[in-house]
Amino acid sequence: MKLGIRNIVKLYRLLTSNIAFIPTVITAGALVLAIAMLYIESHNYTDWLEENIGFALVRGTENARMVLATIIGGILSLTVFSFSMVMVVLNRTTASLSPRVLPQLVAQTSHQVVLGYYMGTIVYSLILIINVDSESGIPSFGILLSMLATIGALGLFIYFIHSISQSIQVGNILKSIYQRTLEQIEELKKRQDLKGDTKEVSWRPLLKADKPGYYKFEAPQKLLSLCAEQKISLRVCYNTEIFILSNQTLLECSADFSVDKNLLSSAFIYTEQPADKNSLIMGLEKISEITIKALSPGINDPGTAERGIQILTLLFSKLVPYDQEYKLELGESKPDVFFVMPSLCRLFGKIILPIQHYAGGLTQTVNALLDLYESVFQSLDLQTRQSLVPYLDTLLKDSQEKCLSNYEVEFISQRVTELKKQNILN
């Protein structure tokens, strides 16, 4: 029974995350609407409309077929043109930014609604055209709705072109990622404020991974319910963005507890990193990848790279002071579930260090990175700051080796002197 529910949940997530889900639902709705219109017209429920708006209704079977055939051909051509153009534009965009932004652009709900509207109009018109004959009559009111839907499709086409042209601009992409990541940081801060002091808790290993992969439990509420039932607290020792090896500890417990074998079966195991639009770390990674792409020799766009580093500066300044642990609660129940985030040092190694590899020699980018370190270091304790100093030393060493002029070396040296005066590097 539990396995069946798990498969249903997995199938539901697979369907709802598919780009074809919303278009399929809209198309099915259009099919039902077409059948309903044929039923209404076959029972003469549209006599009042024929008396009052007869000038807008199609007369004659040949005219009806011609109008519907024109609508079907026109919308089909519009659909092919729109999404062929989109694929070309997105291909060029991902080549200049990052392939990981492609799902973000393609999976936008508004774009799926437009595609579903196009497909629904075609299906609706097809059902009508096969029911046009001189004996059973002409679905005049249904054809009028088809014409109105075509006018709406033209309006959606204009909106679609505008939306695509805006969504592929790097500034709007960075802004969108920044806003979602900032929301996750604020949510993380709220949960960290609830955590309290857990230093005295003696955590015991409870559950280990039986195979490598990315682990994600179907619902944290299941863990919370287990805590409430057994009067224990759990600590999730991994993050969905971290690749877990076999026999690595997934869960720790605050007391001796016999693990339920079904607990591991409730976790989804992915061979690739699961897409999560609400992921804090994934948002930081996307900005980092866009910045690295802008610094690559093929793109060579230091302005975009500087903008990306500035956004990372804003996000990291909101993230520190940084606490690796946060908590979920089950109402007023004392037992809780604690989650562990990667350390700040590991985050810098994953997000900032790759940028530094390409930033050496570009004074504009190095200056932006020094601003990031200055902003973050001011809010860190001495121990955490010292763990990040080697990253800063690497940046300074690479920059001085790759700078093309004495002026650039002198400029970077002045920035380092300013940081030392503020006791940031001490």
Side-chain angles (χ1 to χ4, degrees), residues 7-303:
N7 290 333
I8 293 174
V9 172
K10 189 173 183 179
L11 179 61
Y12 171 77
R13 290 182 176 178
L14 180 64
L15 290 176
T16 54
S17 62
N18 196 299
I19 188 176
F21 177 72
I22 293 179
T24 301
V25 172
I26 296 176
T27 302
L31 177 62
V32 173
L33 177 62
I35 296 174
M37 289 306 306
L38 292 173
Y39 175 83
I40 291 173
E41 299 216 25
S42 65
H43 287 75
N44 299 321
Y45 292 144
T46 58
D47 293 341
W48 180 87
L49 295 173
E50 293 180 359
E51 294 177 358
N52 292 273
I53 58 171
F55 63 91
L57 302 179
V58 176
R59 307 293 183 183
T61 56
E62 292 300 323
N63 289 338
R65 289 195 181 95
M66 180 189 68
V67 170
L68 291 173
T70 303
I71 290 174
I72 294 170
I75 298 298
L76 187 60
S77 300
L78 194 64
T79 304
V80 173
F81 172 76
S82 298
F83 287 88
S84 297
M85 178 194 66
V86 167
M87 291 300 106
V88 173
V89 172
L90 292 182
N91 183 48
R92 295 186 61 182
T93 302
T94 53
S96 59
L97 296 178
S98 169
R100 298 182 69 181
V101 304
L102 181 60
Q104 172 185 334
L105 299 176
V106 174
Q108 288 187 16
T109 303
S110 59
H111 297 166
Q112 296 180 33
V113 170
V114 172
L115 176 59
Y117 187 91
Y118 287 169
M119 299 304 297
T121 303
I122 293 173
V123 170
Y124 176 84
S125 301
L126 283 172
I127 297 298
L128 292 184
I129 198 171
I130 63 177
N131 286 275
V132 173
D133 57 68
S134 56
E135 296 181 1
S136 59
I138 302 172
S140 301
F141 183 61
I143 296 174
L144 175 61
L145 287 183
S146 183
M147 292 189 293
L148 294 176
T150 304
I151 296 174
L154 295 176
L156 283 178
F157 174 72
I158 297 173
Y159 160 77
F160 185 74
I161 297 299
H162 172 75
S163 177
I164 285 293
S165 64
Q166 292 295 316
S167 63
I168 63 175
Q169 294 180 14
V170 63
N172 291 332
I173 293 175
L174 288 173
K175 182 179 179 181
S176 175
I177 300 173
Y178 166 76
Q179 290 176 341
R180 286 199 304 272
T181 308
L182 183 60
E183 291 175 359
Q184 294 305 306
I185 291 176
E186 293 174 350
E187 182 65 25
L188 176 64
K189 289 291 186 181
K190 292 178 182 178
R191 292 177 177 176
Q192 288 175 340
D193 292 339
L194 297 172
K195 180 177 70 69
D197 188 8
T198 59
K199 294 181 180 179
E200 298 181 358
V201 179
S202 179
W203 297 108
R204 300 171 176 84
L206 177 64
L207 185 66
K208 292 186 177 182
D210 61 349
K211 62 179 69 175
Y214 295 93
Y215 281 76
K216 184 176 182 180
F217 282 91
E218 61 184 32
Q221 282 70 23
K222 186 167 185 176
L223 299 179
L224 291 168
S225 300
L226 177 64
C227 290
E229 292 173 3
Q230 304 296 330
K231 305 300 182 182
I232 59 174
S233 294
L234 291 178
R235 189 169 184 257
V236 181
C237 305
Y238 72 97
N239 196 271
T240 54
E241 293 85 0
I242 303 300
F243 188 81
I244 304 298
L245 300 178
S246 299
N247 294 322
Q248 277 192 279
T249 301
L250 296 178
L251 293 176
E252 293 178 335
C253 184
S254 61
D256 291 330
F257 175 67
S258 176
V259 64
D260 184 1
K261 295 182 179 179
N262 293 324
L263 188 60
L264 183 58
S265 64
S266 66
F268 291 101
I269 305 175
Y270 299 86
T271 56
E272 296 182 1
Q273 186 174 352
D276 187 356
K277 65 180 181 180
N278 295 322
S279 170
L280 164 61
I281 298 177
M282 189 173 292
L284 296 173
E285 288 179 344
K286 286 181 179 179
I287 298 174
S288 176
E289 290 176 2
I290 292 174
T291 304
I292 294 170
K293 199 77 172 183
L295 289 171
S296 64
I299 306 300
N300 192 21
D301 185 5

Side-chain angles (χ1 to χ4, degrees), residues 411-426:
F411 174 81
I412 294 173
S413 299
Q414 289 177 353
R415 285 301 313 273
V416 175
T417 303
E418 293 174 0
L419 295 178
K420 290 183 177 179
K421 288 181 179 178
Q422 299 176 29
N423 294 321
I424 291 179
L425 297 183
N426 297 336

